[in-house]
């Protein structure tokens, strides 16, 4: 599917064919694309919990105000992030770069995030956002629909997935075959309302 078509036709779809199974090759392709999303200093804070257990799905649905896409979509991914990824063997993020780049960037990234807890968390969430959009557009290109979700009890979901210390949940994303299309768009702001030139 052409990129602009995927962008224009991706919608938050809430009703899924519960019998549709995503072939493993599609799941791998979807995730491989997602992993190419950009992150600050290439830190790749994201950690994905793929929920395949049906009981776990039901429990997460209960924690998500009963939203049916949580249990009915082919795939449910809880998109998490490690806020401390910036200091967890950061050499990994530049392992394939020339030595000179590595020697410059690794100390630089540590200096940027050290002692700045809010920025560490913001960055983890930004990385989740980047991954989420890639995942949803890639899903669309592969013939699937998706629904990003933050409508859930975060503490309950964290407990269910054993979220480690210093990790955050960015959102959940359901991916599957639509049983019903999304409703019409809610109301898009015009470019004039949101675009400033040079300053607010
Ligand atoms: C971070 C985030 C959280 C969302 N949470 C929910 C949710 O819990 N349940 C839901 O049905 N839709 C949820 N949505 C979908 C939005 O309502 C939807 O993206 C928005 O209305 C625009 O519609 P569209 O995605 O179809 O273009 C969420 C979207 C985002 C980006």
């Amino acid at each position: 599917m052409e990129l602009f078509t995927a962008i224009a036709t991706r919608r938050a779809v809430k009703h899924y064919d519960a019998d549709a199974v995503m072939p493993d090759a599609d799941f791998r392709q979807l995730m491989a694309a997602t992993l190419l999303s950009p992150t600050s200093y290439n830190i790749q804070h994201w950690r994905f919990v793929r929920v395949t257990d049906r009981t776990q799905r039901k429990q997460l649905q209960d924690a998500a105000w009963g939203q049916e896409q949580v249990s009915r979509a082919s795939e449910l991914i809880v998109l998490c992030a490690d806020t401390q990824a910036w200091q967890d063997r950061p050499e990994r993020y530049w392992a394939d770069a020339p030595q000179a780049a590595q020697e410059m960037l690794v100390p630089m990234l540590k200096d940027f995030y050290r002692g700045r807890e809010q920025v560490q968390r913001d960055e983890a969430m930004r990385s989740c956002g980047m991954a989420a959009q890639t995942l949803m557009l890639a899903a669309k290109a592969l013939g699937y629909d998706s629904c990003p979700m933050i409508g859930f009890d975060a503490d309950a979901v964290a407990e269910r997935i054993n979220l480690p210390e210093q990790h955050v949940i960015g959102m959940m994303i359901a991916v599957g075959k639509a049983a019903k299309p999304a409703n019409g768009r809610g109301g898009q702001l015009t470019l004039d309302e949101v675009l400033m030139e040079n300053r607010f």
Side-chain angles (χ1 to χ4, degrees):
M1 182 184 287
E2 201 258 334
L3 178 61
F4 281 90
T5 307
I7 292 171
T9 58
R10 181 220 54 80
R11 299 294 317 285
V13 166
K14 329 251 164 153
H15 304 287
Y16 290 89
D17 173 358
D19 296 325
V21 174
M22 185 185 291
D24 198 51
D26 283 1
F27 182 77
R28 299 270 147 211
Q29 194 175 356
L30 181 63
M31 295 312 296
T34 301
L35 296 189
L36 296 179
S37 308
T39 52
S40 174
Y41 287 105
N42 200 34
I43 294 173
Q44 303 158 76
H45 304 78
W46 44 62
R47 304 291 181 262
F48 304 93
V49 180
R50 178 188 190 185
V51 184
T52 54
D53 182 85
R54 300 316 303 183
T55 309
Q56 169 91 319
R57 286 276 205 110
K58 268 279 170 212
Q59 289 163 340
L60 292 181
Q61 182 180 7
D62 292 342
W65 311 331
Q67 297 191 72
E68 68 163 60
Q69 62 271 35
V70 175
S71 62
R72 290 181 64 88
S74 308
E75 296 286 341
L76 182 80
I77 296 161
V78 188
L79 187 29
C80 308
D82 180 358
T83 65
Q84 299 308 301
W86 65 276
Q87 59 175 344
D88 180 11
R89 296 160 291 148
E91 306 72 27
R92 293 180 292 161
Y93 313 139
W94 293 98
D96 299 335
Q99 183 84 10
Q102 230 181 81
E103 283 170 6
M104 184 186 73
L105 289 163
V106 173
M108 202 190 263
L109 83 85
K110 288 183 187 165
D111 287 347
F112 190 79
Y113 293 106
R114 188 180 298 114
R116 302 174 75 198
E117 280 185 25
Q118 180 69 51
V119 181
Q120 293 165 16
R121 190 175 192 282
D122 289 349
E123 206 59 75
M125 287 298 194
R126 261 193 287 277
S127 295
C128 277
M130 302 304 291
Q133 184 69 342
T134 304
L135 193 154
M136 293 187 287
L137 291 179
K140 193 73 212 177
L142 284 169
Y144 297 91
D145 282 292
S146 63
C147 187
M149 281 169 282
I150 197 60
F152 53 82
D153 176 338
D155 291 338
V157 172
E159 196 184 324
R160 290 265 163 242
I161 64 169
N162 290 339
L163 187 74
E165 285 290 303
Q166 299 174 334
H167 285 59
V168 288
I169 299 177
M171 70 191 81
M172 298 202 279
I173 304 183
V175 184
K177 295 288 182 184
K180 256 206 260 173
N183 294 329
R185 288 189 185 276
Q188 302 309 114
L189 301 182
T190 64
L191 183 59
D192 283 348
E193 285 178 273
V194 297
L195 178 68
M196 270 58 69
E197 191 162 344
N198 298 321
R199 52 187 67 82
F200 274 86

